[in-house]
Amino acid sequence: MEKVGFFRSIHVKFVTIYLLLILIAMQIIGVYFINKLEDQLIRNFQQSIEGRLSLLEYSLVEEMMKDRTDESVPPLEEEVGKLLADFSAQDISEVRVINNRSLIIGTSERNNQSIVGQKTTDVMVKRILAGGKKEDKIFIDTQSKNRVWILATPIKIGGEVAGAIYLVAKIETVFDQLEEINQIFISATLVAMAITAVLGILVARTITRPISDMKRQAVAMAKGNFSRKVRVYGDDEIGQLALSFNYLTRKLQEAQAMTEGERRKLSSVLSNMTDGVIATDRKGRVILINEQASQMLNVSRETMISQPVTELLLLDDQYSFEDLLDQQEPIILDYGTDDSPFILRANFSVIQRDTGFVNGLIVVLHDVTEEEKIEAERREFVANVSHELRTPLTTMRSYLEALADGAIHDKELAPRFLDVTQNETERMIRLVNDLLKLSKMDSKDYEINRTWVDFVSFFNHIIDRFEMTKERHITFKRELPDKAVFIKVDEDKLTQVIDNIISNALKYSPEGGRVTFRLKMLDDQIEISISDQGLGIPKENLEKVFERFYRVDKARTRRLGGTGLGLAIAKEMIGAHGGDIWARSVEGKGTTILFTLPYDPEQEDDWS
């Protein structure tokens, strides 16, 4: 620990503060005392002058009231001069007497007798003659540079202002006395400060010595040494503090041992967790990341310490650290690619004190790749059921509407329509069973109930059904042989395959488009193709359209009701029959779905 400088030590600070407090107290007392003393001295000086001035005013009134018509009576100016000559004193510079016409009728200054008989220009005197109220002021004489006091008081006879007395007094002697008192006070203050400084040093040492011991103990505790004890010097507050410090040392030693044990447990838990854990400080910088989180995010633990957590999670473009503090719901982080999906769920928990102060954030990462995949497949499966059931339900609705519109009374049509409705209902039940089997990704066992079927008639029957129920102006073109072609297939499952392919062709065909049906005879197979004039499929997606739940254009497919499962079902069905299925497409011109089925002309001849 850095050694404390002399002027930064608590010892010096204590003495300095002690002296400053004494100095401030004495200065406050001195200022108050001097101000009061100054006011008192000035007041005494003025009262002494005014007391003598009252006698002069009385004499002047007597002289002004005398009758001057008698020649034996001396002039007023002469009598005023005598009175002023007797009034002169050491602390009075000059006294002037002015009559009510602003004429100076006397002055005590012998060298200034020339102003007698002249009109005064002093503003103060004019205000006195006009208002009849006494005025005074203190100012500095420009010649002597000393302070003088000017007093102007009215002379009243019978309540009327008969003149004024203008007095100039030397008040500088009062301030000289104050200056001497100030010097005495300053000297006394310096002596008191010197004595106080010595006492302050002695008092400060009794306080700072135990504190120095505590400082050394604190340094030792910081280094992990809890065996040292603070010396107790007495039973006062400092002694009690030393005892408390020793008690604190013992408790810290116990707490450190407990914390170390908990730290080892926490480290073991974090290391063996299957979830990733990230902790941040209150500014969002990473302060802890366990090995599992490091592996999940494919980062080095050492390089990520002190880095922003939003940058680590690749969320800096979408969230700020303050947003994560308010985040109540988990955030799904998708770090996967098309070939290798990898999804994490991030849960956020704020580290917060009881006072509400935020210390940081805990992020728990859980690998939910398989969960998300299963959930997506579940959602896709549910949507696919709706897609697969739409066609038979539409057919049933058409026949039922026809029956409701009167066909039920037609003895020829009614049984046929009811038969079709019953067949479609049974096929939907079988379709649901097949979809449930298909939802098991590892299960590819299909029960094939093969019967001999004239495929041309069978194909035409399915096309007729769609042609009856289609809603848009889409034309059907058939390029089928005129002769019967018998093959051994599962009629229900093959109906499902063709239904799926035709439904997709109708969905993606534009208004006024055309759907073409072809059947081509090969050596040991027949090739069936269904073509539309829709948007087509990009070349890179042709091999994937038969994958389960795969969709080329997810937004468009959802809008049209598809789920990407229909062709996967068709692939399973055709594969179970021993055939193959594939697609050809040109973007902007349409798509053709082709599939083959086993065909043996010799067995056909024997059957027929």
Side-chain angles (χ1 to χ4, degrees):
M1 182 178 291
E2 183 183 357
K3 186 177 180 181
V4 179
F6 176 76
F7 291 103
R8 294 170 57 191
S9 68
I10 191 172
H11 191 92
V12 173
K13 291 180 179 178
F14 184 86
V15 174
T16 303
I17 293 173
Y18 183 67
L19 291 176
L20 288 176
L21 289 175
I22 297 298
L23 179 61
I24 291 171
M26 295 186 70
Q27 288 300 316
I28 293 174
I29 294 173
V31 169
Y32 179 80
F33 173 74
I34 295 300
N35 286 337
K36 290 296 183 179
L37 181 62
E38 179 181 347
D39 293 340
Q40 188 63 39
L41 290 176
I42 292 175
R43 189 180 303 109
N44 293 339
F45 177 83
Q46 292 174 345
Q47 288 176 354
S48 65
I49 297 295
E50 290 177 356
R52 295 166 58 189
L53 197 62
S54 298
L55 297 174
L56 177 61
E57 180 182 355
Y58 177 78
S59 300
L60 290 173
V61 170
E62 293 291 330
E63 292 296 332
M64 287 181 176
M65 292 178 63
K66 288 182 180 180
D67 185 8
R68 300 293 177 184
T69 57
D70 188 358
E71 293 182 357
S72 62
V73 178
L76 179 61
E77 289 80 0
E78 183 179 343
E79 293 298 329
V80 169
K82 292 178 180 180
L83 291 173
L84 293 178
D86 295 337
F87 189 75
S88 61
Q90 184 178 359
D91 51 356
I92 297 177
S93 298
E94 182 181 6
V95 179
R96 296 178 186 176
V97 179
I98 300 96
N99 62 14
N100 55 3
R101 292 175 296 171
S102 300
L103 294 177
I104 300 173
I105 59 175
T107 178
S108 63
E109 182 63 36
R110 295 180 180 180
N111 299 327
N112 198 21
Q113 294 298 321
S114 60
I115 65 173
V116 175
Q118 296 183 5
K119 200 167 190 176
T120 183
T121 59
D122 193 279
V123 177
M124 185 183 294
V125 174
K126 291 183 177 180
R127 286 199 301 266
I128 292 296
L129 296 175
K133 292 183 179 181
K134 179 177 65 174
E135 290 188 17
D136 68 318
K137 67 177 180 178
I138 297 175
F139 72 98
I140 297 176
D141 187 15
T142 56
Q143 295 180 355
S144 63
K145 304 300 180 182
N146 292 329
R147 277 165 285 201
V148 296
W149 178 54
I150 296 178
L151 173 64
T153 181
I155 301 173
K156 294 183 178 181
I157 300 175
E160 297 292 332
V161 178
I165 300 175
Y166 180 83
L167 181 143
V168 179
K170 300 175 184 178
I171 201 171
E172 185 66 28
T173 55
V174 174
F175 291 97
D176 290 340
Q177 293 176 4
L178 287 173
E179 184 65 25
E180 292 178 1
I181 294 173
N182 279 333
Q183 293 298 328
I184 295 172
F185 186 80
I186 291 173
S187 300
T189 301
L190 293 176
V191 173
M193 291 295 293
I195 297 173
T196 302
V198 175
L199 294 175
I201 293 172
L202 296 176
V203 173
R205 287 189 62 186
T206 61
I207 297 175
T208 57
R209 184 169 56 181
I211 294 177
S212 298
D213 289 346
M214 293 180 194
K215 182 194 73 171
R216 288 190 290 270
Q217 173 64 8
V219 173
M221 289 168 56
K223 295 179 181 179
N225 180 13
F226 293 94
S227 60
R228 194 174 181 276
K229 301 296 180 182
V230 177
R231 183 179 176 183
V232 180
Y233 290 92
D235 295 332
D236 56 3
E237 288 83 354
I238 299 296
Q240 294 297 320
L241 178 61
L243 290 173
S244 300
F245 203 88
N246 290 333
Y247 177 76
L248 174 64
T249 302
R250 185 172 66 256
K251 288 297 181 180
L252 283 177
Q253 187 174 12
E254 296 173 359
Q256 186 191 35
M258 185 180 298
T259 302
E260 184 64 22
E262 294 297 327
R263 188 191 66 81
R264 293 194 188 98
K265 293 179 184 178
L266 179 60
S267 177
S268 177
V269 170
L270 290 176
S271 299
N272 294 282
M273 284 182 65
T274 58
D275 292 338
V277 178
I278 302 170
T280 74
D281 59 12
R282 61 187 180 88
K283 294 184 178 180
R285 294 179 297 226
V286 176
I287 58 175
L288 181 145
I289 177 171
N290 68 347
E291 185 64 29
Q292 190 66 22
S294 177
Q295 293 177 2
M296 286 180 174
L297 300 175
N298 194 24
V299 295
S300 171
R301 297 171 63 183
E302 291 75 15
T303 57
M304 284 299 102
I305 297 299
S306 298
Q307 297 299 317
V309 68
T310 53
E311 180 180 328
L312 174 62
L313 299 178
L314 303 180
L315 294 174
D316 44 351
D317 292 337
Q318 304 175 26
Y319 298 90
S320 64
F321 179 67
E322 288 73 19
D323 295 333
L324 297 183
L325 292 176
D326 298 330
Q327 185 69 29
Q328 301 294 329
E329 299 297 326
I331 295 177
I332 300 300
L333 307 174
D334 191 350
Y335 297 129
T337 61
D338 294 337
D339 299 329
S340 178
F342 183 55
I343 301 174
L344 298 177
R345 182 178 65 231
N347 292 280
F348 302 92
S349 178
V350 179
I351 307 172
Q352 197 169 20
R353 297 180 184 175
D354 294 338
T355 58
F357 182 79
V358 175
N359 281 345
L361 185 70
I362 294 291
V363 184
V364 179
L365 302 176
H366 182 64
D367 188 350
V368 294
T369 304
E370 289 301 323
E371 296 176 15
E372 289 294 322
K373 183 178 179 181
I374 293 172
E375 179 63 21
E377 291 175 356
R378 185 191 64 80
R379 291 193 298 265
E380 293 287 353
F381 180 79
V382 172
N384 180 73
V385 171
S386 301
H387 167 69
E388 296 303 330
L389 294 178
R390 182 179 291 110
T391 300
L393 285 173
T394 303
T395 303
M396 292 173 62
R397 184 183 65 180
S398 300
Y399 280 97
L400 291 173
E401 287 177 352
L403 290 171
D405 290 340
I408 193 170
H409 301 294
D410 192 321
K411 295 182 178 180
E412 294 183 2
L413 291 178
R416 290 173 52 193
F417 283 8
L418 290 173
D419 184 58
V420 171
T421 303
Q422 183 179 1
N423 291 337
E424 291 299 324
T425 302
E426 293 175 355
R427 190 164 66 83
M428 281 192 297
I429 295 173
R430 292 192 296 270
L431 175 61
V432 169
N433 292 331
D434 286 341
L435 288 173
L436 291 175
K437 293 178 182 178
L438 186 59
S439 67
K440 300 176 182 179
M441 301 302 294
D442 295 332
S443 176
K444 295 186 179 180
D445 298 330
Y446 294 96
E447 296 180 3
I448 303 298
N449 299 316
R450 297 175 186 266
T451 58
W452 287 99
V453 176
D454 178 4
F455 189 81
V456 175
S457 176
F458 169 74
F459 200 11
N460 277 317
H461 175 71
I462 296 175
I463 297 171
D464 290 342
R465 179 159 47 83
F466 273 96
E467 194 162 22
M468 178 180 177
T469 59
K470 62 183 175 65
E471 298 178 355
R472 294 184 294 171
H473 299 293
I474 299 175
T475 59
F476 284 178
K477 181 180 180 182
R478 312 184 195 198
E479 296 181 4
L480 306 177
D482 294 334
K483 64 176 184 177
V485 177
F486 287 93
I487 59 175
K488 196 172 185 179
V489 295
D490 188 323
E491 187 175 352
D492 289 336
K493 290 181 171 54
L494 201 57
T495 298
Q496 182 179 341
V497 171
I498 298 174
D499 281 352
N500 285 334
I501 298 174
I502 296 176
S503 295
N504 287 336
L506 289 174
K507 281 190 298 185
Y508 292 107
S509 292
E511 187 73 22
R514 183 176 64 193
V515 178
T516 304
F517 306 92
R518 297 184 181 89
L519 191 152
K520 184 178 179 181
M521 308 293 296
L522 302 177
D523 292 339
D524 57 353
Q525 291 178 327
I526 61 172
E527 182 183 274
I528 300 95
S529 64
I530 301 172
S531 303
D532 62 53
Q533 294 179 336
L535 297 175
I537 302 172
K539 184 177 180 181
E540 63 272 12
N541 294 329
L542 281 176
E543 296 181 359
K544 300 180 180 180
V545 294
F546 295 99
E547 294 179 3
R548 296 178 183 181
F549 311 113
Y550 183 81
R551 293 171 296 198
V552 177
D553 186 346
K554 296 184 179 180
R556 175 175 169 81
T557 305
R558 284 194 178 96
R559 189 178 72 247
L560 296 175
T563 63
L565 187 60
L567 292 178
I569 295 174
K571 184 177 180 180
E572 294 292 339
M573 299 298 182
I574 296 299
H577 281 82
D580 194 12
I581 187 169
W582 68 96
R584 295 175 186 165
S585 181
V586 178
E587 285 192 81
K589 294 185 178 181
T591 301
T592 300
I593 303 296
L594 305 97
F595 64 91
T596 60
L597 293 171
Y599 170 64
D600 189 349
E602 295 180 358
Q603 290 187 4
E604 179 189 12
D605 293 339
D606 294 340
W607 185 85
S608 59

